[in-house]
Amino acid sequence: MKKLILLLALIVACVQIQAQSKFWISGQYSNSTMNYLYGGKYATMGVEWGNVTPSDNPNVVLYGQFKKYDSGRSYFEVEKVLKSIPLYEGSYTIGNYKCPTSGLEGQILTSNGVKITFSSFVPLSNAYVNTTKAEWGIKVCDGKIFPVYYIRSVENQGVNQEVQRMVPPAGFDAAGESTNRNEKLAGKVVSLKKESQITVANYAIILTDDGTRREISSTRPMKVGERVNLEGYNKTVYWDGVMNTSYVFFVTKIIGSQSYGSNQTAPANNSGTVSSTSLTSEEAKLYALIMEYRREKGLPSIPVSKSLTYVAQLHAKDLQENFVRGTSCNAHSWSDKGKWTPVCYTADHAQAKGMWNKPSELTSYKGSGYEIAHWNSASASASGALNGWKNSSGHNAVIINESNWANSTWNAIGVGIYKDYALVWFGKEIDKEI
């Protein structure tokens, strides 16, 4: 009898251990791999779908367990798939955990008594949290894997959700629409591809003049590259039930528009007045990708600078047309073919000031500029450039303010892509030409 009890205890223990070895994770899936949060930072791993139909959606929420190939490389074996991540709310406590992540850690106690261990990338106040965006990930401590609910954004802290539905936010009516129907929005159309699963007419994404990406529903179809001045109102659009929302600008009137080609920039000059400089669609994409990458690291967005964009576009064209690769001068060099001071930038950084001073030499920008460069013989792209920089510790540090750049605050950014070259310039000073 004692042996039987011991055997049953062992079976129960084994079941408990097995159950605790399975997790929910979420992230970006592509080509049999996914990016997911590991200890507060993104990591990549392989995915094996087993008996589950592989997802055709790049945003996945998966349940399963970590395993290893014979080579020793880890992968995730999928057992279930969800369409979206549960958004929890409830009272919470903060804890000091062993092996901490980069965020604020604690536990949410939901209304049905479930305890959710979280790590928040955003500040929390009061004693109640209503999550609006989150990701499932893990952390490893003492060789054990622990599930972590990574909070990206919250709202209505200290207010019960049912009460909030009855009382719309200030400036909005009961349907979630702004009461001001004559708001204005100006910017350039950078994409017609939906970033969410909402269904609205004539969908487009606008890069506004302050560098913010906005989803819109227009009165007519939009064109990528078109610059528009719009009048309308903002509305909270619910999709996938009430789990996900988008903040959409519904257009009631198009005040004016001007079309640029997909690879065309507005004219600029070399006199220091760059008010007409604008981003191409690929440059806007690179800017958006960099801002998203910074947000993943808990860093703020950087305003687009017309001055630094002018310098970046000018330098990209100079490199394409005049730079000779394979010499002691690297891609931070400037030729003697333009109305600027030539620079041969060498590996010892002896001529660094020649590069730093280019924004003030060519524009009205008062501060120094710091450049990162990417070259691809088959033409540069936004995603290729960022991936290259992320895999280079020196360039990556500039983008996300690490290492030697940890104490720098970027208040201006410029982007230039021309054929084989992609360049981004960063500045500490605010640009009056933004």
Side-chain angles (χ1 to χ4, degrees):
M1 186 67 176
K2 289 183 178 179
K3 289 182 178 180
L4 178 60
I5 294 172
L6 179 60
L7 178 60
L8 289 172
L10 288 173
I11 292 173
V12 172
C14 290
V15 170
Q16 289 176 338
I17 291 170
Q18 185 179 9
Q20 291 175 352
S21 66
K22 297 183 180 181
F23 305 90
W24 284 105
I25 58 171
S26 62
Q28 294 284 322
Y29 173 76
S30 176
N31 298 323
S32 300
T33 63
M34 72 176 292
N35 291 326
Y36 72 109
L37 281 166
Y38 177 106
K41 296 183 178 181
Y42 280 95
T44 302
M45 69 175 174
V47 175
E48 296 289 347
W49 292 90
N51 296 323
V52 179
T53 303
S55 174
D56 56 2
N57 188 335
N59 300 306
V60 294
V61 185
L62 310 176
Y63 179 78
Q65 58 185 316
F66 293 90
K67 291 188 174 182
K68 288 189 177 182
Y69 294 111
D70 292 340
S71 63
R73 186 167 63 90
S74 296
Y75 68 94
F76 192 79
E77 186 176 75
V78 181
E79 293 186 12
K80 298 179 187 177
V81 179
L82 274 185
K83 289 185 178 180
S84 60
I85 300 171
L87 298 177
Y88 294 109
E89 66 166 313
S91 58
Y92 70 91
T93 56
I94 301 299
N96 295 316
Y97 294 105
K98 192 176 181 181
C99 309
T101 63
S102 56
L104 182 70
E105 293 185 284
Q107 277 192 335
I108 299 173
L109 179 62
T110 66
S111 58
N112 58 0
V114 177
K115 292 183 179 180
I116 306 297
T117 300
F118 72 85
S119 175
S120 179
F121 291 104
V122 294
L124 302 178
S125 59
N126 300 322
Y128 191 90
V129 61
N130 185 1
T131 308
T132 57
K133 186 176 180 182
E135 298 180 55
W136 276 118
I138 64 168
K139 75 173 182 178
V140 175
C141 189
D142 294 336
K144 297 180 181 179
I145 303 175
F146 297 89
V148 180
Y149 186 69
Y150 289 96
I151 298 175
R152 286 290 185 195
S153 64
V154 297
E155 67 178 3
N156 307 326
Q157 292 196 41
V159 182
N160 184 277
Q161 189 176 16
E162 283 71 26
V163 175
Q164 178 60 29
R165 287 174 183 161
M166 294 170 58
V167 183
F172 283 74
D173 60 22
E177 295 184 7
S178 57
T179 52
N180 180 7
R181 301 181 65 87
N182 294 311
E183 297 180 42
K184 294 182 180 180
L185 190 68
K188 186 176 180 180
V189 180
V190 294
S191 178
L192 303 180
K193 184 178 180 180
K194 292 183 180 180
E195 294 186 343
S196 57
Q197 300 174 24
I198 62 174
T199 301
V200 294
N202 299 320
Y203 179 93
I205 297 176
I206 302 290
L207 183 67
T208 65
D209 292 340
D210 65 358
T212 304
R213 287 169 70 89
R214 292 293 306 276
E215 295 179 285
I216 72 164
S217 177
S218 184
T219 52
R220 63 164 172 78
M222 297 277 101
K223 294 181 180 180
V224 173
E226 181 179 8
R227 176 171 177 79
V228 291
N229 290 285
L230 309 171
E231 189 173 281
Y233 61 96
N234 295 295
K235 180 179 178 180
T236 301
V237 178
Y238 293 89
W239 50 275
D240 191 17
V242 295
M243 297 292 289
N244 295 296
T245 60
S246 289
Y247 193 56
V248 180
F249 186 86
F250 281 77
V251 179
T252 56
K253 181 179 180 182
I254 299 177
I255 303 170
S257 68
Q258 179 180 359
S259 294
Y260 297 116
S262 61
N263 292 311
Q264 179 183 359
T265 62
N269 56 52
N270 194 24
S271 65
T273 57
V274 294
S275 58
S276 58
T277 300
S278 65
L279 298 176
T280 66
S281 59
E282 195 67 14
E283 289 165 350
K285 181 179 178 181
L286 178 54
Y287 170 78
L289 288 173
I290 291 174
M291 294 307 105
E292 177 62 25
Y293 180 43
R294 284 176 58 85
R295 284 193 290 272
E296 290 172 358
K297 300 295 183 179
L299 298 171
S301 295
I302 310 169
V304 174
S305 159
K306 291 187 176 181
S307 297
L308 295 186
T309 293
Y310 171 72
V311 175
Q313 292 173 346
L314 193 67
H315 193 205
K317 189 172 184 180
D318 178 48
L319 288 171
Q320 181 68 37
E321 296 178 349
N322 303 308
F323 180 60
V324 179
R325 301 187 66 84
T327 69
S328 60
C329 304
N330 65 27
H332 295 308
S333 302
W334 290 70
S335 76
D336 58 359
K337 307 297 183 183
K339 295 181 180 180
W340 53 72
T341 305
V343 177
C344 174
Y345 199 110
T346 51
D348 60 3
H349 306 289
Q351 301 301 318
K353 286 187 177 180
M355 182 260 283
W356 297 343
N357 293 339
K358 278 294 176 285
S360 59
E361 178 184 342
L362 297 170
T363 73
S364 60
Y365 188 74
K366 301 300 182 182
S368 297
Y370 305 93
E371 179 189 60
I372 55 176
H374 169 80
W375 172 78
N376 188 310
S377 60
S379 79
S381 67
S383 58
L386 182 57
N387 287 336
W389 290 327
K390 288 168 71 173
N391 289 321
S392 168
S393 59
H395 296 92
N396 188 59
V398 177
I399 297 172
I400 59 174
N401 297 107
E402 288 187 346
S403 188
N404 294 337
W405 306 95
N407 294 323
S408 299
T409 299
W410 302 134
N411 289 305
I413 188 173
V415 183
I417 299 178
Y418 186 76
K419 295 186 177 179
D420 298 346
Y421 288 90
L423 307 175
V424 176
W425 284 70
F426 297 85
K428 299 177 183 178
E429 305 296 326
I430 296 174
D431 185 10
K432 294 181 179 179
E433 291 282 355
I434 289 177

